[in-house]
Amino acid sequence: MSFSPRRIRRPRTILAAGIAASVSLVLAGCSAPAEDSASADGDFTGEELTVLLISSHEGASEWLSTEFEKETGAKINPVIVPYDEIGSKLALDQQSGANTIDVAAPWYVSLGDLAADGAIQDLTEWVESEDALDTDDFIPSIYEPYSEVDGKRYGVPFDGDTHVLFYNKEILERNGFTEPPATWDEYLEQSKTITENEKANGVYGAAIFGQKSPLILGASFANRLAGFGGEFLDEDGKPVINSEEAVAAAQALVDINDHALPTPAETDFGAGNSAWFAGKVGFIENWTDLGVRSQDPESGSEVVDKWGVSFLPTGGDNTESRASLVAGFSWVIAANTEKTELAKTFVEWAASSEVNEALLTATPPTGIDPNRISSLESESYGTEYPELQEANRATLEGALAWPTGEHATELAQILTDELAKLLAGEGGTAQEALDGVQAEWEEILGS
């Protein structure tokens, strides 16, 4: 793979000399950090930038660190944390006054809370005035939730993270299925058949991510919510989490539990992915980059050339498959960094089409999915992974995104807690469980 990044140019400084103090207060939400000295030619040799990332982006961090230093001379110091700790790590770093983090890539759902906590900069003016960011090229269904909260821009998309359905061709063929399921009912039927026929040999119909985390169990629910045509909030921002579609989605999750890799409540990404790579499950809902690792024997994959991928199934009256933005990560700039200029240079480069395209097909795999139209439709991606390219095109027709405003992370956790009780047989019916979630969401959002 060849890679020729565009010339890094100095992002336009948005502080005018006569109004620097007042505008800085708006950007930081309180007292603004001092601006770092910028190099007019993009040379930051000798400077360092601390970047906070989740563990599944460690491979990407190594690639980014190497290439950015080649391009600008600046050294990247990655700080790697578990995916469910990155938001709290960033907030604590900024609120405590430690201020060790300059740039981070948190879950997009946490943008509203991080902004309310004063942990990240308001990037609205920079994003809207910096042509080099080429925001029109971001996939629209990804760009809005990954960047905007209450009309302001706080982030720039990094990892698209769309879930699709992967299937093991050999397992389906052994059990008499010629096509992957188009509906959640068909998915249940095929999973049940596979498990009944092959569980004695340690093979199961599906790996269900059921561990109690919004990014795990919440993701499994969101996939079904998208499939049944549901929403988290209506057009007015009011909760509709106990709708007919949402209840059907929750029930579909209950129904598959008995036919899944034991035990769903303890299955996280590591356990589920390990079973998939070992050829022990027929289906797994996962990010499209799983296909890159599935084709890489050096990653321990035993399913090279044995897998396929399709859109998420549909359910109920809905017949149009819809992408589910179950995870997804955005570049943000820490509120109190003293290296804002270098941070903007890094974000502009790291969020570029050229970098996104390179990360999609890099080996070792980086765990990054498309966030731009140009990288999604790039020749290199289409040549190496045509099935993944096609599956990712679902995002071009809209996608289901989680709420992103203030309290969004709390809303996600409440939903996840109640789903965990439901799956454990402790939460009543699916309708009762989601009625309880609806009431709590309404109270928090003042609906």
Side-chain angles (χ1 to χ4, degrees):
M1 179 192 68
S2 61
F3 172 62
S4 301
R6 65 182 174 190
R7 179 176 64 87
I8 292 294
R9 65 190 188 86
R10 176 175 178 254
R12 185 169 67 188
T13 304
I14 64 175
L15 303 182
I19 58 172
S22 60
V23 176
S24 295
L25 287 172
V26 173
L27 287 174
C30 50
S31 59
E35 283 290 327
D36 51 304
S37 58
S39 169
D41 60 2
D43 184 4
F44 291 88
T45 300
E47 295 198 38
E48 298 185 5
L49 199 69
T50 299
V51 180
L52 182 66
L53 294 156
I54 61 169
S55 54
S56 61
H57 289 155
E58 189 167 6
S61 76
E62 294 172 0
W63 190 98
L64 292 167
S65 298
T66 299
E67 296 299 328
F68 190 65
E69 187 167 6
K70 288 179 185 178
E71 193 67 24
T72 67
K75 180 180 179 181
I76 298 299
N77 298 316
V79 175
I80 308 298
V81 298
Y83 58 86
D84 56 352
E85 295 179 12
I86 189 168
S88 58
K89 171 73 173 178
L90 176 58
L92 180 60
D93 179 77
Q94 297 296 289
Q95 292 172 343
S96 68
N99 301 330
T100 62
I101 305 300
D102 301 305
V103 174
W107 188 28
Y108 75 90
V109 175
S110 66
L111 291 181
D113 287 318
L114 289 169
D117 290 340
I120 57 177
Q121 293 190 25
D122 177 352
L123 302 176
T124 305
E125 188 171 345
W126 176 60
V127 169
E128 294 182 353
S129 63
E130 183 50 77
D131 293 340
L133 285 171
D134 193 15
T135 56
D136 288 342
D137 184 46
F138 285 118
I139 297 170
S141 63
I142 288 177
Y143 179 53
E144 293 305 322
Y146 280 46
S147 67
E148 186 178 43
V149 177
D150 295 333
K152 297 181 179 180
R153 303 286 179 185
Y154 288 98
V156 179
F158 170 41
D159 186 9
D161 271 355
T162 303
H163 261 199
V164 290
L165 183 68
F166 287 90
Y167 57 95
N168 185 305
K169 294 179 180 179
E170 288 190 345
I171 293 177
L172 263 64
E173 183 178 350
R174 287 201 304 263
N175 288 274
F177 300 114
T178 58
E179 297 289 340
T183 68
W184 286 113
D185 284 342
E186 292 176 0
Y187 166 88
L188 176 62
E189 176 189 354
Q190 293 188 19
S191 296
K192 181 179 179 181
T193 298
I194 293 167
T195 298
E196 289 177 347
N197 290 344
E198 302 201 32
K199 67 178 179 181
N201 297 321
V203 175
Y204 296 86
I208 298 297
F209 293 126
Q211 191 179 70
K212 193 171 69 172
S213 165
L215 280 168
I216 302 179
L217 175 55
S220 297
F221 170 76
N223 291 343
R224 288 156 180 77
L225 183 63
F228 279 90
E231 301 283 351
F232 290 104
L233 308 175
D234 65 17
E235 294 181 354
D236 297 320
K238 296 182 179 180
V240 287
I241 199 62
N242 63 343
S243 66
E244 178 181 346
E245 294 81 6
V247 171
Q251 187 60 50
L253 199 51
V254 172
D255 294 340
I256 192 61
N257 259 26
D258 290 340
H259 314 293
L261 178 75
T263 53
E266 299 173 5
T267 301
D268 59 6
F269 300 135
N273 290 351
S274 294
W276 166 260
F277 291 128
K280 297 298 184 180
V281 292
F283 302 110
I284 190 169
E285 302 149 51
N286 216 309
W287 295 281
T288 53
D289 66 87
L290 184 77
V292 180
R293 287 189 60 196
S294 295
Q295 278 302 101
D296 181 17
E298 294 186 8
S299 293
S301 175
E302 297 180 28
V303 295
V304 175
D305 296 330
K306 299 177 182 179
W307 60 274
V309 61
S310 66
F311 298 133
L312 290 174
T314 60
D317 294 332
N318 182 45
T319 58
E320 297 293 327
S321 183
R322 187 182 186 193
S324 175
L325 303 179
V326 296
F329 298 85
S330 303
W331 290 119
V332 299
I333 297 177
N336 300 321
T337 178
E338 295 183 351
K339 303 176 181 179
T340 296
E341 200 70 23
L342 178 56
K344 288 178 179 176
T345 299
F346 173 77
V347 170
E348 178 191 316
W349 173 80
S352 68
S353 177
E354 293 89 342
V355 169
N356 188 234
E357 179 182 345
L359 290 171
L360 294 180
T361 57
T363 52
T366 63
I368 301 302
D369 294 311
N371 59 48
R372 287 182 176 272
I373 299 170
S374 57
S375 55
L376 168 60
E377 299 295 352
S378 65
E379 182 178 356
S380 63
Y381 191 46
T383 298
E384 294 196 44
Y385 301 104
E387 287 184 295
L388 299 182
Q389 183 182 60
E390 180 60 29
N392 265 308
R393 286 181 175 138
T395 58
L396 298 174
E397 303 300 325
L400 175 67
W402 287 82
T404 58
E406 187 177 358
H407 306 301
T409 51
E410 181 182 3
L411 300 181
Q413 191 61 58
I414 289 170
L415 172 61
T416 303
D417 289 345
E418 293 306 313
L419 288 172
K421 293 178 185 177
L422 176 66
L423 298 183
E426 302 169 357
T429 66
Q431 184 72 63
E432 290 168 341
L434 294 185
D435 282 346
V437 175
Q438 176 78 10
E440 290 193 67
W441 280 26
E442 288 178 351
E443 183 176 355
I444 291 170
L445 296 177
S447 300

